[in-house]
Amino acid sequence: MNESSNFYVNKIEEINICDNRIIIFSGNTYELPFSVKPIEEGHRLEICEGCQKDHAELIEIIKRNSEKFPLCCKEHSRLLDLSEFKKEDFLGLEKDVADKIMFTHHHIINNIDKDDWYIEITSYIEYILESFGSFPPDHGAPFMLNNYHHYFKHYADKLRGMITGDTDNLSKKEFDTRLNKVNDFFYSRFTNSDPSKNFTPTTDFNLLLAIYNKWYKTFPFELSYFQHLKEKFQKNIPLINGCTAYNKYTGRTTAQLHTKESLTNLLVEITEEIISNINGLKLYEKGLLNNSEQIKLELILQNRKLEINEISESRKDDRKSYIKILKKWFKSEKKFIKEIEPFLNKKIENLNVSSARPNRTDIAYCIHYLRETKTLKLENPFPSDKAWKEIEKIYKKNSKNIQKVYNVICSDQEERLKKTKKGNLSYVIENMFKENKKALELAKDELKLLELNS
């Protein structure tokens, strides 16, 4: 395979995605075509007289079609202005192009009835398409790609005519279904029905960015429930669908971009996961639901923002699924806060200074034992400033005060096991490690040491 190429920029665009400025370059490369390997098994050129006749006719047709190149059209004539372009690089390639047409036809015949038919055929088509090379924007389609485009349809129709009934391995219905999927894949590689106008993958990177940006702007990250997640989803944009594919013909492993549909489905799943794990009930269970009036106001404002957003974008339906989920969540969340508010306020009124736990020392001990047992779970690496800010949001206590205590106790066991710290250590054991056996056992061991030294 030819690996020499130059990239030509057609457009530079600056866009705002998730409050970040992104520069996007679009264009294409100048890359020479290369020959492809012949089919060695099954139906192939060497054993079929009909295909040999077609192959010979194709060579003559392609030779005639290429005689005027690059003066065949306005776009290709621009190639003469490129320093890389040499007409001799494209002379005598009619057999190569005819090979690519016939080899594709044979490959479909040989693999359409196999278990791995789709991967096998589409991988080969990708290989053939890549073998045509590429030209910069506005310089026309790759050399003779329009011939391949035309004869792909011709031989697909011919193959469909050859299979008129059920075969040993496939029913006629299943054969038609598979051939239709192959055709869909082939034509999806062109953004225009005429390959001389445009030949690029149709998965639009900008479109995926726009879909994610809409979700990011729609999701209520300003709500105090979700503020700690905003930076994570601002920086991690899931455009890759997580699947990789190895193409044995090109020899490369590639990651696949999401489609519009798969990215929208993923955003629905993310929305459901977030609101299932973070809500008023979860905050109450953690003792963090201590300002119902503020939360009620936030819910009202963010819900209204969602309603306005929905009205302004009502003509576009790709967000309806997760907007519906969020609206339902807002409704139930406001109801929950309203119902629990009397009990919550009563609980706050009965608090006294001694019960305002955990205090900064309790939290510092908790963080120490979590870190020592490698069970400290934060979005940011500890002990970075961002990690401390995250701890501040979790415990609603000044992170600098917690950090001061932490720095003392984590570096000095004698200081950590002072008699005066027994109350803090006991509180941590009784209240902060109910679901963490490792940290609990370590804290208990240290409490025993403290009691022995007292």
Side-chain angles (χ1 to χ4, degrees):
M1 290 173 59
N2 175 35
E3 297 182 357
S4 176
S5 62
N6 293 313
F7 186 78
Y8 286 80
V9 177
N10 184 41
K11 183 172 66 173
I12 301 176
E13 184 180 8
E14 181 179 309
I15 59 176
N16 190 297
I17 300 293
C18 306
D19 303 322
N20 294 314
R21 290 170 57 209
I22 297 178
I23 306 297
I24 294 181
F25 297 86
S26 60
N28 207 349
T29 59
Y30 179 88
E31 196 163 3
L32 294 176
F34 59 85
S35 302
V36 297
K37 297 177 181 179
I39 301 299
E40 297 179 352
E41 297 179 355
H43 191 95
R44 58 192 186 278
L45 201 58
E46 291 79 5
I47 64 173
C48 180
E49 291 184 4
C51 288
Q52 290 171 11
K53 181 180 177 181
D54 285 354
H55 186 257
E57 290 177 357
L58 281 170
I59 290 175
E60 292 303 316
I61 293 170
I62 293 164
K63 185 176 181 180
R64 289 196 301 270
N65 290 343
S66 62
E67 284 177 352
K68 294 182 180 180
F69 178 82
L71 299 177
C72 51
C73 63
K74 182 172 67 174
E75 288 79 12
H76 280 152
S77 65
R78 296 188 182 115
L79 292 167
L80 295 170
D81 298 326
L82 301 180
S83 60
E84 298 94 332
F85 177 76
K86 296 177 183 178
K87 184 174 180 178
E88 54 265 32
D89 290 334
F90 299 91
L91 296 177
L93 296 183
E94 53 271 10
K95 180 181 179 299
D96 275 359
V97 177
D99 284 349
K100 294 169 186 179
I101 294 169
M102 296 308 302
F103 291 173
T104 303
H105 177 55
H106 297 156
H107 202 73
I108 294 173
I109 292 174
N110 294 333
N111 291 280
I112 194 73
D113 62 347
K114 292 184 178 178
D115 292 339
D116 60 347
W117 64 274
Y118 188 78
I119 293 296
E120 184 64 41
I121 294 173
T122 56
S123 294
Y124 192 76
I125 291 173
E126 286 282 5
Y127 166 58
I128 297 294
L129 289 173
E130 189 169 325
S131 74
F132 278 91
S134 60
F135 293 146
D138 300 323
H139 286 69
F143 180 73
M144 291 293 108
L145 179 64
N146 56 338
N147 282 267
Y148 181 71
H149 185 275
H150 171 77
Y151 283 104
F152 184 93
K153 182 180 185 306
H154 169 79
Y155 280 103
D157 292 342
K158 184 176 181 180
L159 185 58
R160 200 183 300 274
M162 292 166 55
I163 308 297
T164 57
D166 295 349
T167 65
D168 292 340
N169 297 324
L170 286 179
S171 67
K172 179 65 168 67
K173 181 179 179 180
E174 178 61 19
F175 173 81
D176 287 338
T177 298
R178 293 188 179 189
L179 192 57
N180 287 338
K181 288 184 177 180
V182 171
N183 285 340
D184 289 344
F185 171 81
F186 177 77
Y187 291 111
S188 73
R189 299 292 284 110
F190 299 85
T191 56
N192 191 297
S193 59
D194 180 358
S196 66
K197 301 296 183 185
N198 207 343
F199 167 63
T200 55
T202 56
T203 300
D204 190 337
F205 185 75
N206 285 8
L207 174 63
L208 297 181
L209 286 175
I211 290 171
Y212 185 79
N213 190 53
K214 283 181 184 178
W215 175 82
Y216 176 82
K217 295 293 186 182
T218 301
F219 194 88
F221 286 114
E222 301 306 318
L223 193 61
S224 57
Y225 288 15
F226 307 125
Q227 283 179 355
H228 67 289
L229 295 174
K230 185 174 183 178
E231 186 176 359
K232 172 185 175 181
F233 288 100
Q234 180 185 47
K235 293 183 177 180
N236 299 291
I237 303 177
L239 300 187
I240 303 299
N241 70 3
C243 302
T244 59
Y246 175 72
N247 188 320
K248 65 182 182 181
Y249 297 104
T250 64
R252 285 200 291 266
T253 299
T254 56
Q256 300 295 316
L257 283 176
H258 274 292
T259 63
K260 176 183 176 181
E261 292 74 20
S262 66
L263 179 58
T264 301
N265 290 337
L266 175 64
L267 295 176
V268 170
E269 292 175 7
I270 292 174
T271 301
E272 291 175 336
E273 182 179 359
I274 293 175
I275 63 177
S276 296
N277 292 311
I278 304 174
N279 50 62
L281 177 60
K282 297 287 186 180
L283 294 177
Y284 179 77
E285 291 172 347
K286 293 179 180 180
L288 301 177
L289 194 63
N290 52 20
N291 193 337
S292 59
E293 288 298 322
Q294 178 185 342
I295 292 174
K296 281 170 65 178
L297 178 60
E298 287 182 3
L299 288 170
I300 292 169
L301 294 176
Q302 290 298 316
N303 185 51
R304 186 56 185 155
K305 179 181 175 182
L306 182 66
E307 290 173 344
I308 293 171
N309 203 320
E310 182 184 26
I311 293 169
S312 66
E313 298 283 346
S314 59
R315 65 187 182 278
K316 301 172 184 177
D317 60 3
D318 58 333
R319 304 181 308 149
K320 282 185 178 179
S321 48
Y322 55 77
I323 285 181
K324 185 177 180 180
I325 292 169
L326 286 172
K327 286 180 69 177
K328 186 177 180 180
W329 180 85
F330 270 119
K331 184 177 179 180
S332 60
E333 198 71 1
K334 286 191 290 183
K335 180 182 178 184
F336 172 77
I337 297 297
K338 183 178 180 180
E339 291 176 346
I340 200 174
E341 185 178 21
F343 304 97
L344 189 63
N345 289 343
K346 184 176 180 181
K347 179 180 177 181
I348 292 173
E349 289 169 3
N350 292 333
L351 286 176
N352 54 45
V353 176
S354 63
S355 64
R357 306 290 288 268
N359 58 36
R360 63 178 184 175
T361 306
D362 301 330
I363 298 168
Y365 271 87
C366 177
I367 298 300
H368 169 72
Y369 293 124
L370 289 175
R371 189 187 186 191
E372 287 296 305
T373 55
K374 298 181 179 180
T375 56
L376 179 60
K377 297 180 180 179
L378 297 171
E379 296 289 337
N380 299 286
F382 185 83
S384 65
D385 290 341
K386 288 183 178 180
W388 281 113
K389 283 296 180 184
E390 194 176 339
I391 290 169
E392 182 175 293
K393 287 182 180 179
I394 294 171
Y395 294 102
K396 309 296 183 186
K397 293 289 193 299
N398 186 287
S399 60
K400 291 184 178 179
N401 293 336
I402 301 170
Q403 191 174 1
K404 287 178 183 178
V405 178
Y406 174 84
N407 289 338
V408 172
I409 65 170
C410 76
S411 59
D412 189 342
Q413 186 186 51
E414 185 177 340
E415 180 67 28
R416 189 168 65 251
L417 300 183
K418 276 187 175 181
K419 184 178 180 181
T420 54
K421 299 295 194 300
K422 182 177 179 180
N424 300 107
L425 194 47
S426 298
Y427 176 85
V428 169
I429 291 171
E430 293 170 6
N431 298 281
M432 302 184 78
F433 293 141
K434 291 180 180 179
E435 298 180 2
N436 191 322
K437 292 183 179 180
K438 288 184 178 180
L440 179 63
E441 291 303 316
L442 180 58
K444 284 182 176 180
D445 289 342
E446 292 224 318
L447 180 60
K448 291 177 183 177
L449 286 175
L450 185 151
E451 291 173 340
L452 286 173
N453 295 333
S454 299

